[in-house]
């Protein structure tokens, strides 16, 4: 797993922490195949996300986060991101890092009241 001090991609670090949480659930119950699959997907998304930080899509997302930060809406988005990560593999899915960022952008738009 990555050290957050070496990595400016908070979202990827959050995904890795969620993957670790899912793996602890698998350690507690080795038959929990859904958590195992979700952990693998969360780690895959984290890896892909790190490769997207310089893309226009990620820049758009960061701009929205900055706007939300100025309007005190960022904490709502952070909670929504947490709920989304928790549900990955359990009724919610993101196939790629790009798809994950697109979902976060939609959440940001809804938080801003523009989605």
């Amino acid at each position: 797993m990555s050290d957050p001090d070496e990595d400016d991609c908070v979202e990827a670090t959050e995904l890795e922490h969620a993957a670790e949480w899912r793996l602890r659930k698998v350690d507690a119950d080795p038959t929990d195949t859904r958590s195992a699959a979700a952990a693998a997907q969360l780690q895959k998304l984290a890896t892909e996300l790190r490769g997207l930080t310089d893309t226009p899509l990620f820049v758009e997302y960061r701009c929205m986060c900055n706007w939300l930060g100025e309007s005190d809406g960022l904490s709502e988005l952070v909670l929504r991101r947490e709920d989304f990560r928790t549900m990955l593999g359990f009724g919610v899915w993101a196939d790629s890092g790009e798809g994950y960022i697109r979902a976060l952008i939609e959440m940001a738009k809804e938080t801003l009241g523009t989605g």
Side-chain angles (χ1 to χ4, degrees):
M1 300 292 161
S2 182
D3 179 356
D5 293 332
E6 295 176 7
D7 181 1
D8 189 29
C9 188
V10 172
E11 294 78 5
T13 302
E14 290 173 341
L15 286 166
E16 288 176 334
H17 290 171
E20 291 167 357
W21 172 70
R22 284 281 170 206
L23 289 173
R24 285 192 300 276
K25 293 179 103 16
V26 173
D27 287 344
D29 177 7
T31 65
D32 187 355
T33 57
R34 287 180 68 189
S35 285
Q41 185 64 12
L42 288 159
Q43 187 57 52
K44 174 186 174 283
L45 294 173
T47 300
E48 289 180 9
L49 220 51
R50 285 199 171 83
L52 295 173
T53 57
D54 293 329
T55 64
L57 185 65
F58 202 88
V59 170
E60 177 185 354
Y61 170 69
R62 288 290 185 173
C63 288
M64 295 180 93
C65 287
N66 288 339
W67 182 275
L68 283 166
E70 291 178 12
S71 66
D72 296 327
L74 189 57
S75 59
E76 181 182 338
L77 179 61
V78 168
L79 292 172
R80 293 183 77 182
R81 274 192 333 228
E82 183 178 344
D83 289 343
F84 184 61
R85 283 189 313 275
T86 300
M87 292 303 298
L88 280 169
F90 293 83
V92 173
W93 198 255
D95 290 326
S96 66
E98 187 174 304
Y100 184 78
I101 287 296
R102 288 186 191 284
L104 296 183
I105 287 172
E106 286 306 309
M107 286 178 222
K109 287 178 180 178
E110 290 169 6
T111 303
L112 284 166
T114 63

